Amino acid sequence: DAGVIQSPRHEVTEMGQEVTLRCKPISGHDYLFWYRQTMMRGLELLIYFNNNVPIDDSGMPEDRFSAKMPNASFSTLKIQPSEPRDSAVYFCASSPVDFYEQYFGPGTRLTVT
Amino acid sequence: ELKVEQNPLFLSMQEGKNYTIYCNYSTTSDRLYWYRQDPGKSLESLFVLLSNGAVKQEGRLMASLDTKARLSTLHITAAVHDLSATYFCAVDAGNTPLVFGKGTRLSVIA
């Protein structure tokens, strides 16, 4: 298996623009997680899905953030409009049935200028 | 609410020395994971500990779990530069996603 795939790997955008991050989980994994990592705040769980259904989005910082999982092999995290404080590395992770070891993607490094 | 605390958060150690990183957690759990993150890279799974007394070893790293004490340790033996990275523990509380510690940034110097 190719592991968790994320795109793009790097994104540089201007404040106010819409940003869409993409994730393909490992085939057969029922859980998908979106994290944000910064030096100041560490690793933060933003939202997670079970069988494509959002279960807990309490970590989403504000309404500018939204996430979808239209099918078992694809998820998006959208920021609209983006702000400089959104600059971070965004990781997608997946895990098999039940809360178990998570497998992380390579991350997307987002820079908002 | 499950809380996971790692210490130390920063560790600078000389090559060839031994050291231990500690991971304490606040509620009952018998599943704990250790991850490694190299600078600019993703998190990579190191060890999966699934029961009280579990011990896993790979190379110069050894992890153990004491569920009664709510404590896991990651022991480093005869450190080498290649072990420089950030190490995270993550605890499974059973009905919520993994809760990660803040990470221990390890720097091994000659």
Side-chain angles (χ1 to χ4, degrees):
Chain A
D1 200 316
V4 177
I5 299 172
Q6 290 185 248
S7 65
R9 296 292 303 278
H10 302 273
E11 177 81 34
V12 180
T13 191
E14 292 184 346
M15 181 174 63
Q17 297 297 307
E18 177 179 297
V19 175
T20 299
L21 311 181
R22 298 172 176 80
C23 175
K24 176 180 169 54
I26 293 172
S27 176
H29 282 194
D30 290 340
Y31 289 84
L32 183 139
F33 307 84
W34 282 101
Y35 290 89
R36 177 173 69 176
Q37 187 178 41
T38 61
M39 289 294 293
M40 290 296 294
R41 302 175 69 92
L43 191 66
E44 302 174 277
L45 176 64
L46 300 178
I47 185 172
Y48 75 95
F49 295 82
N50 179 19
N51 290 321
N52 314 336
V53 176
I55 302 301
D56 185 352
D57 65 354
S58 60
M60 297 284 260
E62 48 196 277
D63 292 345
R64 297 184 297 106
F65 286 70
S66 63
K68 294 182 179 180
M69 192 165 185
N71 57 61
S73 58
F74 183 66
S75 177
T76 60
L77 178 67
K78 184 177 294 186
I79 308 172
Q80 166 63 20
S82 58
E83 297 183 4
R85 59 194 169 119
D86 301 330
S87 297
V89 180
Y90 291 80
F91 289 106
C92 175
S94 69
S95 70
V97 176
D98 201 6
F99 293 109
Y100 199 65
E101 182 181 10
Q102 293 181 16
Y103 297 81
F104 282 76
T108 295
R109 182 173 297 274
L110 173 65
T111 302
V112 183
T113 61
Chain B
E1 179 188 351
L2 172 60
K3 295 189 184 301
V4 179
E5 291 189 0
Q6 285 183 238
N7 69 82
L9 297 182
F10 298 93
L11 176 58
S12 180
M13 56 188 300
Q14 285 188 314
E15 282 188 331
K17 298 293 187 182
N18 303 334
Y19 209 83
T20 300
I21 299 171
Y22 297 89
C23 175
N24 292 274
Y25 54 97
S26 61
T27 62
T28 301
S29 173
D30 56 6
R31 295 198 287 198
L32 188 141
Y33 310 86
W34 284 95
Y35 288 85
R36 169 179 171 148
Q37 184 178 34
D38 292 309
K41 303 293 186 182
S42 186
L43 281 76
E44 174 188 356
S45 179
L46 276 178
F47 297 112
V48 178
L49 303 171
L50 300 178
S51 61
N52 185 40
V55 177
K56 295 283 185 72
Q57 182 167 4
E58 182 169 334
R60 301 173 187 276
L61 299 177
M62 183 174 71
S64 65
L65 177 61
D66 181 344
T67 59
K68 294 180 181 178
R70 298 178 184 171
L71 170 69
S72 179
T73 60
L74 181 65
H75 186 72
I76 303 156
T77 302
V80 293
H81 180 70
D82 286 352
L83 291 180
S84 297
T86 299
Y87 293 86
F88 293 90
C89 64
V91 180
D92 180 355
N95 58 356
T96 62
L98 296 185
V99 177
F100 284 79
K102 292 186 181 299
T104 297
R105 183 178 297 181
L106 172 65
S107 177
V108 180
I109 56 177

